[in-house]
Amino acid sequence: MKKLITLAAGTATLLGTLMAGNAMAATTLDAVKQKGHLQCGVTSGLPGFSQPDDKGHWTGIDVDTCRAVAAAIFGDAEKVQFTPLTAKERFTALQSGEIDVLSRNTTWTLTRDASLGLNFTGTNYYDGQGFLIKKDIGVTDAKELNGATVCIQAGTTTELNLADYFRANNMEFKPIVFDTSEQTVQGFASGRCDVLTSDRSQLAALRSKLADPSSAVILPNTISKEPLGPVVRQGDDQWFNIVKWVLFAQINAEELGVTSENVDDMKKSDNPNIQRLLGTDGDMGAKLGLPADFGYKIIKEVGNYGEMYNRNVGPGTPLDLERGLNALWTEGGIMYAPPMR
Amino acid sequence: MNDTNPPLQPSRSKPWNDPRVRAIFFQVVALAVIAWSGWTLIENTLANMESRGISTGFGFLDQSAGFGIIMSLIPYDATYSYGRTFFVGLLNTLLVSAMGIVAATILGFIVGVARLSSNWLIAKLSLAYIEVIRNIPILLQIFFWYFAVLRSLPTPRQSVDVGGVFFLNNRGLYLPDPIAQPGFGWVEAALVIAIVAVVVIKRWAKKRQQATGQIFPTVKVGIGILIGLPLLAYLVTGGPLQWDVPALKGFNFGGGITLIPELAALWVALTLFTAAFIAEIVRSGILAVSKGQTEAARALGLHNGLTLRLVVIPQAMRVIIPPLTSQYLNLFKNSSLATAIGYPDLVSVFMGTTLNQTGQAVEVVAMTMAVYLTVSLLISFFMNLYNRAAALKER
Ligand SMILES: N[C@@H](CCC(=O)N[C@@H](CS)C(=O)NCC(=O)O)C(=O)O
């Protein structure tokens, strides 16, 4: 009943906004400034991406993506409030205006981009779907999973990829669909399923939650492309541009070697690219409706993309993920941002 | 002359002075306002959705769904349409609700009567059950049963095996599936004949008892006929049934019928929870029947069981039915908690996966709510019919 109510309430709010006449509100940027903070939709708890600690302070790469937007607007990365959302609730929350940005481990797909009235602003993590399986089953490749029972989370691309993969390989499976990743892991741990499937970045973290992590292994197969990134409502191009270019600024900063530590020195740099990024030259900020030094504030408060990555999911963190695809294009990855000029 | 002020002359009274005409007029106006508002809201919603780039319409129902569902009462796989997922979910919701309503009613009546038992232990046990169950949120109970059940069951390879035909493991209870062979129609026909026969015998027995006072053992004979006749047909036609026995294949058992743990846990939780409320309703219903009735029945020489069955319960029903209806409605609505443990009910399948794959929140939620509303109204409707049948008839 509770789920029915939350989802129905979300839809009711959405319906409320939709039924109201066309009193088009001011721009999202104005509304955010007026509120004094950014409202950002995140997961209900996913290590490395968005997770609250015991004091209610949120950390993660998706969280930092929102903090960077707040830093750009307010010059203060703390002016964000977070709304935890399940996979099912997320899009309704954005459509209804409950949140300003959705930064919740969300895969960019055509259907989501084109039919939900939403826009993806970029990719802050390139992921792919994988499998976690009980070791004693003895399977070493996903192609051997015919007939398996699979635990998945509702409302995700994971659900669809799974069906596609099994169909394409002429295999059968039984899906057990849970609402949160917590329940999904419990279902797997209690033996209800042979396999758990989710974005690969999560498998290691989910595995570490098991009573005996060594009882499960991650299969080598990656069965899908999961470009994860922030999402905004369609129809406010200024806001779309802001969220898009905040992430680009972080990626460009890494490419230019600007970090939160050296950013004050870099202000004196005579590299025109760095000058435009930090606002010591040009009017990049004004074009977006942001303060001239928005780039400086982002890097100073949150750091460049690489710093954000290493702090939350990189080697040495509990997720311990190599950069891989997420390395800069100059270093063998595909992280690439258009020039700021 | 008096014609300046003719008393109550119909030809002269204006229609707006007629209270009946006025009432109709205002109702028409009210209706028009409501219809207009509704229309404007729908128009506005559609226009706004369009301007925000949100897809609208029910065209998605024909598209292929592309996802699997663990349990379906009708044929289904990923190639079926989104529209089909609606019916798969709906039937699963109705199944668990119907199972829950039947079981909760039986258990609730037993506990309710036991609560009034003169046996101290039985009465206190029933009281403890009611108080514990009623005061723990249903969602917690569902989780409890689900994980308690799952964790205590063995893995498929260590299944509990009963005679090589029944298997129990943490994927569910596997039963052999009877598959009708040609000739099975005779057995079905025999069952229909048996049912008709029992109804006729019951009528006849009642009449005879009213006329002569002789009691006919209707129940025993009825059961005999219901089992005996189809069995006879089955044997005569040479046993036209084949059993599809489940067997371990790869990861799990295949073939046979599976009762999945999600269904079992949800059923148990809904039954136990609702039965506690029904028990209290039954108790209050029985207490509402005046003591004189029991005493009179005793004076006529009826023993305890008959007093309860023939005198007390029928009168208590008049008090019990209305609150019982709302318990049935609660159970039906609580069944949507299924999504928490992955039982594929309407909310989990249609308002969960289908909504997310298509993004058509307004349409999907509207359809889901329409179902809950319709089924709830149907439950109320039939319970009201039953209530009317049970109500005191003034003769
Ligand atoms: N990237 C996929 C999956 C997103 C997703 O929901 N991921 C899970 C873990 S793989 C999650 O965030 N769970 C946390 C929660 O339920 O709050 C999508 O966009 O559909």
Side-chain angles (χ1 to χ4, degrees), chain B residues 94-108 267 270-271 274 278 324-325 327-332 375 379 383:
Chain B
L94 293 179
L95 174 72
V96 73
S97 306
M99 285 168 60
I101 284 177
V102 170
T105 309
I106 296 172
L107 184 64
W267 182 37
L270 288 175
T271 300
T274 313
I278 293 181
L324 190 63
T325 308
Q327 286 311 320
Y328 287 175
L329 294 177
N330 282 346
L331 187 145
F332 171 62
V375 176
I379 293 178
M383 289 302 282

Side-chain angles (χ1 to χ4, degrees), chain B residues 76-370:
Chain B
Y76 176 84
D77 64 46
T79 58
Y80 279 84
S81 68
Y82 284 122
R84 186 76 165 193
T85 66
F86 173 79
F87 290 106
V88 172
L90 175 59
L91 287 175
N92 286 345
T93 290
L94 293 179
L95 174 72
V96 73
S97 306
M99 285 168 60
I101 284 177
V102 170
T105 309
I106 296 172
L107 184 64
F109 268 79
I110 294 175
V111 176
V113 172
R115 176 95 168 69
L116 294 171
S117 164
S118 50
N119 180 322
W120 185 86
L121 188 63
I122 290 182
K124 288 297 171 227
L125 276 180
S126 321
L127 176 69
Y129 162 77
I130 291 171
E131 290 308 327
V132 168
I133 294 283
R134 275 203 311 179
N135 290 305
I136 297 176
I138 172 86
L139 186 59
L140 280 183
Q141 298 191 30
I142 292 176
F143 277 129
F144 172 80
W145 289 112
Y146 186 50
F147 288 109
V149 167
L150 277 189
R151 287 188 197 276
S152 58
L153 290 173
T155 63
R157 286 174 201 192
Q158 282 132 14
S159 300
V160 180
D161 174 343
V162 185
V165 270
F166 297 95
F167 299 92
L168 181 68
N169 60 45
N170 59 15
R171 305 296 156 78
L173 176 62
Y174 293 78
L175 315 167
D177 186 7
I179 297 173
Q181 305 294 314
F184 192 70
W186 290 107
V187 182
E188 285 165 357
L191 184 67
V192 173
I193 294 173
I195 292 174
V196 173
V198 169
V199 171
V200 171
I201 290 177
K202 197 178 165 214
R203 291 240 173 103
W204 167 81
K206 197 170 172 189
K207 253 196 205 129
R208 194 182 71 150
Q209 189 182 350
Q210 277 168 358
T212 66
Q214 276 174 295
I215 296 177
F216 184 79
T218 325
V219 176
K220 275 181 211 154
V221 173
I223 292 178
I225 294 178
L226 279 180
I227 296 180
L229 216 50
L231 193 66
L232 191 69
Y234 180 76
L235 293 177
V236 167
T237 49
L241 266 190
Q242 223 172 45
W243 296 88
D244 179 16
V245 178
L248 190 61
K249 294 186 198 125
F251 284 93
N252 214 329
F253 281 86
I257 304 176
T258 321
L259 177 67
I260 56 173
E262 287 76 21
L263 175 60
L266 190 64
W267 182 37
V268 169
L270 288 175
T271 300
L272 291 180
F273 187 71
T274 313
F277 289 88
I278 293 181
E280 283 297 86
I281 293 170
V282 168
R283 180 174 75 104
S284 72
I286 291 176
L287 290 179
V289 178
S290 86
K291 241 178 134 180
Q293 296 285 327
T294 317
E295 284 161 2
R298 286 290 170 70
L300 288 175
L302 294 181
H303 65 73
N304 259 345
L306 282 182
T307 308
L308 199 63
R309 223 179 70 215
L310 298 178
V311 178
V312 178
I313 298 279
Q315 297 187 68
M317 283 318 275
R318 293 180 192 136
V319 180
I320 293 176
I321 294 171
L324 190 63
T325 308
S326 63
Q327 286 311 320
Y328 287 175
L329 294 177
N330 282 346
L331 187 145
F332 171 62
K333 286 178 282 184
N334 280 335
S335 75
S336 68
L337 290 169
T339 117
I341 55 165
Y343 174 73
D345 79 326
L346 184 65
V347 171
S348 167
V349 169
F350 192 64
M351 212 166 99
T353 307
T354 297
L355 189 160
N356 265 280
Q357 307 307 353
T358 61
Q360 304 210 275
V362 173
E363 292 84 350
V364 168
V365 174
M367 280 173 75
T368 310
M369 290 197 167

Side-chain angles (χ1 to χ4, degrees), chain A residues 71-284:
Chain A
I73 298 170
F74 299 109
D76 181 353
E78 290 303 312
K79 291 202 168 161
V80 201
Q81 285 181 12
F82 296 98
T83 307
L85 299 166
T86 68
K88 279 169 156 185
E89 293 158 354
R90 58 185 154 178
F91 299 117
T92 333
L94 184 59
Q95 288 168 333
S96 65
E98 196 183 325
I99 54 175
D100 306 309
V101 186
L102 176 70
S103 181
R104 192 209 167 281
N105 205 253
T106 299
T107 305
W108 186 350
T109 68
L110 187 146
T111 307
R112 289 175 176 179
D113 206 353
S115 71
L116 298 180
L118 304 175
N119 276 331
F120 284 78
T121 67
T123 302
N124 66 352
Y125 189 95
Y126 289 98
D127 213 336
Q129 186 175 337
F131 296 99
L132 182 68
I133 188 165
K134 296 263 162 60
K135 204 187 237 158
D136 59 14
I137 292 180
V139 166
T140 53
D141 191 284
K143 294 253 161 59
E144 301 161 22
L145 288 176
N146 193 8
T149 307
V150 189
C151 281
I152 19 171
Q153 191 173 343
T156 57
T157 46
T158 322
E159 255 186 303
L160 281 186
N161 298 332
L162 184 71
D164 285 356
Y165 181 76
F166 275 77
R167 190 134 45 108
N169 289 293
N170 253 320
M171 303 193 294
E172 282 183 10
F173 72 104
K174 298 206 178 73
I176 314 283
V177 186
F178 294 94
D179 267 352
T180 66
S181 42
E182 188 62 41
Q183 291 161 5
T184 317
V185 179
Q186 277 208 38
F188 178 69
S190 64
R192 178 63 180 101
C193 357
D194 307 300
V195 202
L196 179 156
T197 180
S198 89
D199 293 348
R200 282 195 85 86
S201 63
Q202 291 313 312
L203 292 175
L206 296 178
R207 178 168 162 240
S208 69
K209 284 190 188 170
L210 299 175
D212 175 15
S214 67
S215 68
V217 287
I218 297 172
L219 294 181
N221 317 61
T222 300
I223 66 163
S224 71
K225 294 189 285 188
E226 308 287 328
L228 311 177
V231 196
V232 295
R233 272 183 299 283
Q234 203 169 295
D236 184 344
D237 288 354
Q238 181 197 32
W239 186 245
F240 178 46
N241 284 336
I242 291 174
V243 179
K244 181 163 55 182
W245 281 94
V246 166
L247 182 59
F248 286 159
Q250 289 182 287
I251 298 171
N252 278 320
E254 183 179 12
E255 197 180 326
L256 295 167
V258 183
T259 67
S260 55
E261 259 137 52
N262 67 14
V263 66
D264 287 305
D265 295 337
M266 284 291 188
K267 265 190 151 171
K268 292 173 220 116
S269 160
D270 38 43
N271 179 340
N273 284 319
I274 296 181
Q275 289 178 347
R276 278 193 297 270
L277 169 71
L278 300 181
T280 45
D281 184 36
D283 57 351
M284 299 299 130

